[in-house]
Amino acid sequence: MSTATYTVKGMTCGHCVSSVKEEVGEVAGVTAVEVDLASGLLTVDSEDLIDEAKIVAAVKEAGYEVANQ
């Protein structure tokens, strides 16, 4: 089991959170996704380590950016 955290920029509402959760949740190996709107914190649980680029790409697909990328 692995847990990684990221900071997502640009989310402003519950729909934003849902979009990010949906896209990141579709990444192979992801078992759980939590998003905190106030802090922008994205927590991803997975079976094994997941390539960070796949998470960043999923966030971008949802229409947002990962900080420091």
Short mmCIF file of all heavy atoms in Angstrom, two decimals:
data_model
loop_
_atom_site.label_atom_id
_atom_site.label_comp_id
_atom_site.label_asym_id
_atom_site.label_seq_id
_atom_site.Cartn_x
_atom_site.Cartn_y
_atom_site.Cartn_z
N MET A 1 0.85 -1.18 0.00
CA MET A 1 0.00 0.00 0.00
C MET A 1 0.89 1.24 0.00
O MET A 1 1.88 1.31 0.70
CB MET A 1 -0.89 -0.03 1.25
CG MET A 1 -1.89 1.07 1.29
SD MET A 1 -3.32 0.65 0.29
CE MET A 1 -4.47 1.82 0.89
N SER A 2 0.52 2.20 -0.80
CA SER A 2 1.29 3.43 -0.92
C SER A 2 0.34 4.63 -0.88
O SER A 2 -0.78 4.55 -1.38
CB SER A 2 2.05 3.42 -2.25
OG SER A 2 2.75 4.63 -2.43
N THR A 3 0.79 5.72 -0.26
CA THR A 3 0.01 6.95 -0.21
C THR A 3 0.88 8.10 -0.69
O THR A 3 2.02 8.23 -0.27
CB THR A 3 -0.48 7.24 1.22
OG1 THR A 3 -1.29 6.15 1.65
CG2 THR A 3 -1.31 8.52 1.27
N ALA A 4 0.32 8.92 -1.59
CA ALA A 4 1.04 10.09 -2.09
C ALA A 4 0.11 11.30 -1.98
O ALA A 4 -1.11 11.17 -2.08
CB ALA A 4 1.46 9.88 -3.54
N THR A 5 0.71 12.47 -1.75
CA THR A 5 -0.09 13.69 -1.67
C THR A 5 0.42 14.71 -2.67
O THR A 5 1.62 14.77 -2.97
CB THR A 5 -0.05 14.30 -0.25
OG1 THR A 5 1.30 14.54 0.12
CG2 THR A 5 -0.70 13.37 0.76
N TYR A 6 -0.52 15.50 -3.18
CA TYR A 6 -0.23 16.54 -4.17
C TYR A 6 -1.07 17.75 -3.81
O TYR A 6 -2.09 17.63 -3.14
CB TYR A 6 -0.62 16.07 -5.58
CG TYR A 6 0.00 14.75 -5.97
CD1 TYR A 6 -0.63 13.55 -5.66
CD2 TYR A 6 1.21 14.71 -6.64
CE1 TYR A 6 -0.06 12.33 -6.01
CE2 TYR A 6 1.78 13.50 -7.00
CZ TYR A 6 1.14 12.32 -6.68
OH TYR A 6 1.72 11.12 -7.03
N THR A 7 -0.66 18.92 -4.29
CA THR A 7 -1.46 20.12 -4.12
C THR A 7 -2.00 20.51 -5.49
O THR A 7 -1.24 20.70 -6.44
CB THR A 7 -0.62 21.28 -3.53
OG1 THR A 7 -0.10 20.86 -2.27
CG2 THR A 7 -1.48 22.52 -3.35
N VAL A 8 -3.33 20.61 -5.57
CA VAL A 8 -4.00 20.94 -6.83
C VAL A 8 -4.38 22.41 -6.83
O VAL A 8 -4.96 22.91 -5.85
CB VAL A 8 -5.26 20.06 -7.03
CG1 VAL A 8 -5.97 20.42 -8.32
CG2 VAL A 8 -4.86 18.58 -7.03
N LYS A 9 -4.06 23.11 -7.91
CA LYS A 9 -4.38 24.53 -8.04
C LYS A 9 -5.60 24.71 -8.93
O LYS A 9 -5.76 23.99 -9.91
CB LYS A 9 -3.21 25.30 -8.66
CG LYS A 9 -1.93 25.25 -7.85
CD LYS A 9 -0.86 26.17 -8.43
CE LYS A 9 -0.44 25.73 -9.82
NZ LYS A 9 0.66 26.54 -10.37
N GLY A 10 -6.46 25.67 -8.58
CA GLY A 10 -7.56 26.06 -9.44
C GLY A 10 -8.93 25.55 -9.05
O GLY A 10 -9.92 25.94 -9.65
N MET A 11 -9.02 24.68 -8.05
CA MET A 11 -10.33 24.18 -7.64
C MET A 11 -11.07 25.24 -6.83
O MET A 11 -10.48 25.87 -5.96
CB MET A 11 -10.18 22.91 -6.80
CG MET A 11 -9.58 21.75 -7.54
SD MET A 11 -9.59 20.22 -6.55
CE MET A 11 -8.64 20.71 -5.11
N THR A 12 -12.36 25.42 -7.14
CA THR A 12 -13.13 26.45 -6.45
C THR A 12 -14.45 25.95 -5.87
O THR A 12 -15.12 26.70 -5.16
CB THR A 12 -13.45 27.62 -7.41
OG1 THR A 12 -14.17 27.10 -8.53
CG2 THR A 12 -12.17 28.29 -7.89
N CYS A 13 -14.84 24.70 -6.19
CA CYS A 13 -16.16 24.23 -5.73
C CYS A 13 -16.19 22.72 -5.63
O CYS A 13 -15.23 22.03 -5.98
CB CYS A 13 -17.24 24.71 -6.68
SG CYS A 13 -17.09 24.02 -8.34
N GLY A 14 -17.32 22.21 -5.18
CA GLY A 14 -17.51 20.77 -5.04
C GLY A 14 -17.42 20.03 -6.37
O GLY A 14 -16.95 18.90 -6.42
N HIS A 15 -17.87 20.67 -7.44
CA HIS A 15 -17.77 20.04 -8.75
C HIS A 15 -16.31 19.85 -9.14
O HIS A 15 -15.96 18.82 -9.74
CB HIS A 15 -18.50 20.87 -9.81
CG HIS A 15 -18.40 20.30 -11.18
ND1 HIS A 15 -19.07 19.14 -11.55
CD2 HIS A 15 -17.68 20.68 -12.26
CE1 HIS A 15 -18.76 18.87 -12.81
NE2 HIS A 15 -17.92 19.77 -13.27
N CYS A 16 -15.47 20.82 -8.81
CA CYS A 16 -14.03 20.70 -9.08
C CYS A 16 -13.46 19.47 -8.37
O CYS A 16 -12.72 18.68 -8.97
CB CYS A 16 -13.28 21.94 -8.57
SG CYS A 16 -13.80 23.50 -9.28
N VAL A 17 -13.83 19.31 -7.11
CA VAL A 17 -13.37 18.18 -6.31
C VAL A 17 -13.82 16.87 -6.96
O VAL A 17 -13.03 15.93 -7.12
CB VAL A 17 -13.89 18.28 -4.86
CG1 VAL A 17 -13.65 16.99 -4.10
CG2 VAL A 17 -13.24 19.46 -4.15
N SER A 18 -15.07 16.81 -7.38
CA SER A 18 -15.60 15.60 -8.01
C SER A 18 -14.86 15.26 -9.29
O SER A 18 -14.57 14.09 -9.56
CB SER A 18 -17.09 15.77 -8.32
OG SER A 18 -17.82 15.90 -7.12
N SER A 19 -14.57 16.28 -10.09
CA SER A 19 -13.86 16.06 -11.35
C SER A 19 -12.48 15.47 -11.11
O SER A 19 -12.06 14.52 -11.79
CB SER A 19 -13.73 17.37 -12.13
OG SER A 19 -14.99 17.84 -12.52
N VAL A 20 -11.75 16.04 -10.16
CA VAL A 20 -10.41 15.55 -9.84
C VAL A 20 -10.48 14.12 -9.31
O VAL A 20 -9.72 13.24 -9.73
CB VAL A 20 -9.69 16.49 -8.85
CG1 VAL A 20 -8.40 15.87 -8.34
CG2 VAL A 20 -9.42 17.84 -9.50
N LYS A 21 -11.42 13.87 -8.38
CA LYS A 21 -11.55 12.52 -7.81
C LYS A 21 -11.86 11.50 -8.89
O LYS A 21 -11.30 10.40 -8.90
CB LYS A 21 -12.64 12.50 -6.74
CG LYS A 21 -12.22 13.14 -5.43
CD LYS A 21 -13.32 13.08 -4.40
CE LYS A 21 -13.37 11.73 -3.75
NZ LYS A 21 -14.21 11.71 -2.54
N GLU A 22 -12.73 11.85 -9.82
CA GLU A 22 -13.12 10.92 -10.87
C GLU A 22 -11.94 10.59 -11.79
O GLU A 22 -11.67 9.42 -12.07
CB GLU A 22 -14.26 11.51 -11.70
CG GLU A 22 -14.75 10.58 -12.80
CD GLU A 22 -15.92 11.14 -13.58
OE1 GLU A 22 -16.61 12.04 -13.08
OE2 GLU A 22 -16.11 10.67 -14.72
N GLU A 23 -11.23 11.61 -12.25
CA GLU A 23 -10.11 11.38 -13.18
C GLU A 23 -8.97 10.61 -12.50
O GLU A 23 -8.43 9.67 -13.07
CB GLU A 23 -9.59 12.71 -13.74
CG GLU A 23 -10.53 13.37 -14.72
CD GLU A 23 -10.77 12.57 -16.00
OE1 GLU A 23 -9.90 11.77 -16.40
OE2 GLU A 23 -11.84 12.76 -16.60
N VAL A 24 -8.59 11.02 -11.30
CA VAL A 24 -7.49 10.35 -10.60
C VAL A 24 -7.89 8.93 -10.23
O VAL A 24 -7.08 8.00 -10.30
CB VAL A 24 -7.04 11.16 -9.37
CG1 VAL A 24 -6.02 10.40 -8.55
CG2 VAL A 24 -6.47 12.51 -9.80
N GLY A 25 -9.15 8.73 -9.88
CA GLY A 25 -9.64 7.41 -9.52
C GLY A 25 -9.58 6.41 -10.65
O GLY A 25 -9.57 5.19 -10.42
N GLU A 26 -9.53 6.90 -11.90
CA GLU A 26 -9.46 6.02 -13.06
C GLU A 26 -8.03 5.57 -13.39
O GLU A 26 -7.85 4.71 -14.24
CB GLU A 26 -10.08 6.72 -14.27
CG GLU A 26 -11.59 6.88 -14.14
CD GLU A 26 -12.20 7.61 -15.32
OE1 GLU A 26 -11.48 7.96 -16.27
OE2 GLU A 26 -13.43 7.84 -15.27
N VAL A 27 -7.04 6.14 -12.72
CA VAL A 27 -5.64 5.73 -12.96
C VAL A 27 -5.47 4.30 -12.42
O VAL A 27 -5.88 3.99 -11.30
CB VAL A 27 -4.66 6.69 -12.26
CG1 VAL A 27 -3.22 6.17 -12.36
CG2 VAL A 27 -4.77 8.09 -12.84
N ALA A 28 -4.88 3.44 -13.24
CA ALA A 28 -4.69 2.05 -12.85
C ALA A 28 -3.90 1.93 -11.56
O ALA A 28 -2.87 2.58 -11.39
CB ALA A 28 -3.97 1.29 -13.97
N GLY A 29 -4.41 1.13 -10.63
CA GLY A 29 -3.73 0.90 -9.36
C GLY A 29 -4.20 1.77 -8.22
O GLY A 29 -3.93 1.48 -7.05
N VAL A 30 -4.92 2.85 -8.52
CA VAL A 30 -5.42 3.74 -7.47
C VAL A 30 -6.56 3.05 -6.74
O VAL A 30 -7.49 2.53 -7.35
CB VAL A 30 -5.89 5.09 -8.06
CG1 VAL A 30 -6.63 5.92 -7.01
CG2 VAL A 30 -4.71 5.87 -8.61
N THR A 31 -6.48 3.03 -5.40
CA THR A 31 -7.51 2.38 -4.60
C THR A 31 -8.41 3.37 -3.88
O THR A 31 -9.53 3.04 -3.53
CB THR A 31 -6.87 1.43 -3.57
OG1 THR A 31 -5.95 2.16 -2.76
CG2 THR A 31 -6.14 0.29 -4.27
N ALA A 32 -7.93 4.60 -3.63
CA ALA A 32 -8.74 5.61 -2.96
C ALA A 32 -8.20 6.99 -3.30
O ALA A 32 -7.00 7.18 -3.48
CB ALA A 32 -8.74 5.40 -1.45
N VAL A 33 -9.13 7.96 -3.37
CA VAL A 33 -8.75 9.34 -3.66
C VAL A 33 -9.52 10.25 -2.71
O VAL A 33 -10.73 10.13 -2.57
CB VAL A 33 -9.11 9.74 -5.11
CG1 VAL A 33 -8.72 11.19 -5.38
CG2 VAL A 33 -8.47 8.81 -6.12
N GLU A 34 -8.80 11.15 -2.04
CA GLU A 34 -9.44 12.15 -1.20
C GLU A 34 -8.96 13.52 -1.67
O GLU A 34 -7.78 13.70 -1.97
CB GLU A 34 -9.07 11.96 0.28
CG GLU A 34 -9.66 10.71 0.89
CD GLU A 34 -11.18 10.70 0.90
OE1 GLU A 34 -11.79 11.77 1.09
OE2 GLU A 34 -11.77 9.62 0.69
N VAL A 35 -9.88 14.48 -1.72
CA VAL A 35 -9.53 15.84 -2.13
C VAL A 35 -10.11 16.81 -1.12
O VAL A 35 -11.29 16.75 -0.79
CB VAL A 35 -10.10 16.16 -3.53
CG1 VAL A 35 -9.72 17.58 -3.93
CG2 VAL A 35 -9.61 15.17 -4.57
N ASP A 36 -9.26 17.71 -0.61
CA ASP A 36 -9.71 18.75 0.31
C ASP A 36 -9.75 20.07 -0.45
O ASP A 36 -8.71 20.57 -0.87
CB ASP A 36 -8.77 18.86 1.51
CG ASP A 36 -9.25 19.91 2.50
OD1 ASP A 36 -10.27 19.67 3.15
OD2 ASP A 36 -8.60 20.97 2.58
N LEU A 37 -10.95 20.61 -0.63
CA LEU A 37 -11.12 21.83 -1.42
C LEU A 37 -10.39 23.02 -0.80
O LEU A 37 -9.70 23.77 -1.50
CB LEU A 37 -12.61 22.15 -1.57
CG LEU A 37 -12.96 23.43 -2.33
CD1 LEU A 37 -12.43 23.38 -3.76
CD2 LEU A 37 -14.46 23.64 -2.34
N ALA A 38 -10.50 23.18 0.51
CA ALA A 38 -9.92 24.36 1.18
C ALA A 38 -8.40 24.44 1.00
O ALA A 38 -7.86 25.51 0.72
CB ALA A 38 -10.28 24.35 2.65
N SER A 39 -7.73 23.31 1.15
CA SER A 39 -6.26 23.31 1.08
C SER A 39 -5.75 22.93 -0.32
O SER A 39 -4.59 23.15 -0.63
CB SER A 39 -5.69 22.32 2.09
OG SER A 39 -6.06 20.99 1.75
N GLY A 40 -6.62 22.33 -1.14
CA GLY A 40 -6.20 21.85 -2.45
C GLY A 40 -5.45 20.53 -2.37
O GLY A 40 -4.88 20.07 -3.35
N LEU A 41 -5.46 19.91 -1.19
CA LEU A 41 -4.69 18.69 -0.99
C LEU A 41 -5.37 17.48 -1.62
O LEU A 41 -6.54 17.21 -1.37
CB LEU A 41 -4.48 18.45 0.50
CG LEU A 41 -3.47 17.37 0.87
CD1 LEU A 41 -2.06 17.78 0.43
CD2 LEU A 41 -3.48 17.12 2.36
N LEU A 42 -4.62 16.77 -2.44
CA LEU A 42 -5.06 15.54 -3.09
C LEU A 42 -4.26 14.39 -2.48
O LEU A 42 -3.03 14.41 -2.51
CB LEU A 42 -4.80 15.63 -4.60
CG LEU A 42 -4.85 14.35 -5.42
CD1 LEU A 42 -6.24 13.74 -5.40
CD2 LEU A 42 -4.40 14.62 -6.85
N THR A 43 -4.96 13.42 -1.91
CA THR A 43 -4.31 12.25 -1.32
C THR A 43 -4.71 11.03 -2.14
O THR A 43 -5.91 10.78 -2.34
CB THR A 43 -4.73 12.07 0.14
OG1 THR A 43 -4.43 13.28 0.86
CG2 THR A 43 -3.99 10.91 0.79
N VAL A 44 -3.72 10.30 -2.61
CA VAL A 44 -3.96 9.14 -3.47
C VAL A 44 -3.39 7.89 -2.81
O VAL A 44 -2.20 7.82 -2.51
CB VAL A 44 -3.29 9.34 -4.85
CG1 VAL A 44 -3.55 8.13 -5.74
CG2 VAL A 44 -3.75 10.63 -5.51
N ASP A 45 -4.26 6.92 -2.56
CA ASP A 45 -3.84 5.62 -2.05
C ASP A 45 -3.79 4.66 -3.23
O ASP A 45 -4.65 4.71 -4.11
CB ASP A 45 -4.83 5.08 -1.01
CG ASP A 45 -4.84 5.89 0.27
OD1 ASP A 45 -3.82 6.52 0.58
OD2 ASP A 45 -5.87 5.89 0.95
N SER A 46 -2.78 3.79 -3.23
CA SER A 46 -2.63 2.84 -4.33
C SER A 46 -2.03 1.54 -3.84
O SER A 46 -1.46 1.48 -2.75
CB SER A 46 -1.75 3.44 -5.42
OG SER A 46 -0.49 3.80 -4.90
N GLU A 47 -2.17 0.51 -4.68
CA GLU A 47 -1.62 -0.80 -4.35
C GLU A 47 -0.10 -0.75 -4.30
O GLU A 47 0.52 -1.32 -3.42
CB GLU A 47 -2.09 -1.81 -5.39
CG GLU A 47 -3.60 -1.97 -5.42
CD GLU A 47 -4.10 -2.64 -6.69
OE1 GLU A 47 -3.29 -2.89 -7.60
OE2 GLU A 47 -5.31 -2.90 -6.76
N ASP A 48 0.49 -0.09 -5.29
CA ASP A 48 1.94 0.06 -5.39
C ASP A 48 2.24 1.51 -5.74
O ASP A 48 1.32 2.29 -5.98
CB ASP A 48 2.50 -0.86 -6.49
CG ASP A 48 2.33 -2.33 -6.15
OD1 ASP A 48 2.77 -2.74 -5.06
OD2 ASP A 48 1.74 -3.06 -6.97
N LEU A 49 3.50 1.87 -5.82
CA LEU A 49 3.86 3.21 -6.25
C LEU A 49 3.33 3.46 -7.66
O LEU A 49 3.44 2.59 -8.52
CB LEU A 49 5.38 3.39 -6.24
CG LEU A 49 6.04 3.50 -4.87
CD1 LEU A 49 7.55 3.56 -5.02
CD2 LEU A 49 5.53 4.72 -4.13
N ILE A 50 2.76 4.63 -7.87
CA ILE A 50 2.24 5.00 -9.18
C ILE A 50 3.09 6.14 -9.71
O ILE A 50 3.46 7.05 -8.96
CB ILE A 50 0.76 5.44 -9.09
CG1 ILE A 50 -0.09 4.24 -8.70
CG2 ILE A 50 0.28 6.03 -10.41
CD1 ILE A 50 -1.56 4.52 -8.57
N ASP A 51 3.41 6.07 -10.98
CA ASP A 51 4.18 7.12 -11.63
C ASP A 51 3.48 8.47 -11.42
O ASP A 51 2.31 8.63 -11.77
CB ASP A 51 4.31 6.81 -13.12
CG ASP A 51 5.17 7.80 -13.87
OD1 ASP A 51 5.69 8.75 -13.25
OD2 ASP A 51 5.34 7.61 -15.08
N GLU A 52 4.19 9.40 -10.82
CA GLU A 52 3.63 10.72 -10.55
C GLU A 52 3.07 11.38 -11.81
O GLU A 52 2.07 12.08 -11.76
CB GLU A 52 4.72 11.62 -9.93
CG GLU A 52 4.22 12.97 -9.48
CD GLU A 52 5.29 13.76 -8.76
OE1 GLU A 52 5.73 13.33 -7.68
OE2 GLU A 52 5.68 14.82 -9.29
N ALA A 53 3.69 11.13 -12.95
CA ALA A 53 3.23 11.73 -14.20
C ALA A 53 1.81 11.30 -14.54
O ALA A 53 1.05 12.08 -15.13
CB ALA A 53 4.18 11.36 -15.34
N LYS A 54 1.42 10.10 -14.15
CA LYS A 54 0.06 9.62 -14.42
C LYS A 54 -0.96 10.39 -13.58
O LYS A 54 -2.05 10.71 -14.05
CB LYS A 54 -0.06 8.13 -14.14
CG LYS A 54 0.71 7.28 -15.14
CD LYS A 54 0.55 5.82 -14.86
CE LYS A 54 1.33 4.99 -15.87
NZ LYS A 54 1.21 3.56 -15.63
N ILE A 55 -0.60 10.70 -12.34
CA ILE A 55 -1.49 11.47 -11.47
C ILE A 55 -1.60 12.90 -11.99
O ILE A 55 -2.69 13.47 -12.08
CB ILE A 55 -1.00 11.45 -10.01
CG1 ILE A 55 -0.89 10.02 -9.48
CG2 ILE A 55 -1.90 12.32 -9.13
CD1 ILE A 55 -2.18 9.23 -9.47
N VAL A 56 -0.45 13.49 -12.34
CA VAL A 56 -0.43 14.86 -12.87
C VAL A 56 -1.27 14.94 -14.14
O VAL A 56 -2.07 15.87 -14.33
CB VAL A 56 1.02 15.33 -13.12
CG1 VAL A 56 1.04 16.66 -13.87
CG2 VAL A 56 1.77 15.46 -11.80
N ALA A 57 -1.15 13.94 -15.01
CA ALA A 57 -1.93 13.91 -16.26
C ALA A 57 -3.42 13.81 -15.98
O ALA A 57 -4.23 14.45 -16.65
CB ALA A 57 -1.46 12.75 -17.13
N ALA A 58 -3.80 13.02 -14.98
CA ALA A 58 -5.22 12.88 -14.63
C ALA A 58 -5.78 14.19 -14.09
O ALA A 58 -6.90 14.58 -14.42
CB ALA A 58 -5.39 11.76 -13.60
N VAL A 59 -4.99 14.89 -13.28
CA VAL A 59 -5.42 16.20 -12.75
C VAL A 59 -5.59 17.19 -13.90
O VAL A 59 -6.57 17.94 -13.95
CB VAL A 59 -4.43 16.72 -11.69
CG1 VAL A 59 -4.74 18.16 -11.30
CG2 VAL A 59 -4.44 15.83 -10.45
N LYS A 60 -4.65 17.17 -14.84
CA LYS A 60 -4.75 18.06 -16.00
C LYS A 60 -5.97 17.72 -16.84
O LYS A 60 -6.65 18.61 -17.37
CB LYS A 60 -3.48 17.99 -16.85
CG LYS A 60 -2.33 18.72 -16.22
CD LYS A 60 -1.11 18.73 -17.12
CE LYS A 60 0.04 19.50 -16.45
NZ LYS A 60 1.25 19.49 -17.26
N GLU A 61 -6.28 16.43 -16.98
CA GLU A 61 -7.45 15.99 -17.74
C GLU A 61 -8.73 16.54 -17.11
O GLU A 61 -9.69 16.87 -17.79
CB GLU A 61 -7.49 14.46 -17.79
CG GLU A 61 -8.63 13.89 -18.59
CD GLU A 61 -8.53 14.13 -20.08
OE1 GLU A 61 -7.40 14.30 -20.61
OE2 GLU A 61 -9.58 14.19 -20.74
N ALA A 62 -8.71 16.67 -15.76
CA ALA A 62 -9.86 17.23 -15.05
C ALA A 62 -9.93 18.74 -15.20
O ALA A 62 -10.93 19.35 -14.84
CB ALA A 62 -9.79 16.84 -13.57
N GLY A 63 -8.85 19.35 -15.70
CA GLY A 63 -8.86 20.79 -15.94
C GLY A 63 -8.11 21.61 -14.90
O GLY A 63 -8.27 22.83 -14.84
N TYR A 64 -7.25 20.96 -14.13
CA TYR A 64 -6.52 21.66 -13.06
C TYR A 64 -5.04 21.36 -13.15
O TYR A 64 -4.60 20.57 -13.98
CB TYR A 64 -7.11 21.24 -11.68
CG TYR A 64 -8.60 21.47 -11.68
CD1 TYR A 64 -9.46 20.42 -11.95
CD2 TYR A 64 -9.12 22.73 -11.48
CE1 TYR A 64 -10.83 20.62 -12.01
CE2 TYR A 64 -10.49 22.94 -11.54
CZ TYR A 64 -11.34 21.88 -11.81
OH TYR A 64 -12.68 22.09 -11.88
N GLU A 65 -4.27 21.97 -12.27
CA GLU A 65 -2.82 21.80 -12.27
C GLU A 65 -2.34 21.31 -10.91
O GLU A 65 -2.91 21.68 -9.90
CB GLU A 65 -2.11 23.12 -12.57
CG GLU A 65 -2.26 23.62 -13.97
CD GLU A 65 -1.46 24.90 -14.16
OE1 GLU A 65 -0.27 24.92 -13.79
OE2 GLU A 65 -2.03 25.87 -14.66
N VAL A 66 -1.27 20.52 -10.93
CA VAL A 66 -0.60 20.14 -9.69
C VAL A 66 0.49 21.18 -9.45
O VAL A 66 1.27 21.51 -10.35
CB VAL A 66 0.00 18.72 -9.79
CG1 VAL A 66 0.82 18.41 -8.57
CG2 VAL A 66 -1.11 17.69 -9.98
N ALA A 67 0.52 21.73 -8.24
CA ALA A 67 1.53 22.73 -7.89
C ALA A 67 2.93 22.15 -8.04
O ALA A 67 3.15 20.96 -7.83
CB ALA A 67 1.32 23.20 -6.45
N ASN A 68 3.87 22.99 -8.44
CA ASN A 68 5.28 22.63 -8.59
C ASN A 68 5.52 21.62 -9.70
O ASN A 68 6.47 20.86 -9.65
CB ASN A 68 5.86 22.11 -7.27
CG ASN A 68 5.74 23.12 -6.16
OD1 ASN A 68 5.90 24.32 -6.38
ND2 ASN A 68 5.43 22.66 -4.98
N GLN A 69 4.66 21.62 -10.71
CA GLN A 69 4.87 20.71 -11.85
C GLN A 69 5.17 21.49 -13.10
O GLN A 69 4.63 22.48 -13.37
CB GLN A 69 3.63 19.84 -12.08
CG GLN A 69 3.40 18.89 -10.96
CD GLN A 69 4.51 17.87 -10.79
OE1 GLN A 69 4.96 17.24 -11.74
NE2 GLN A 69 4.98 17.74 -9.59
#
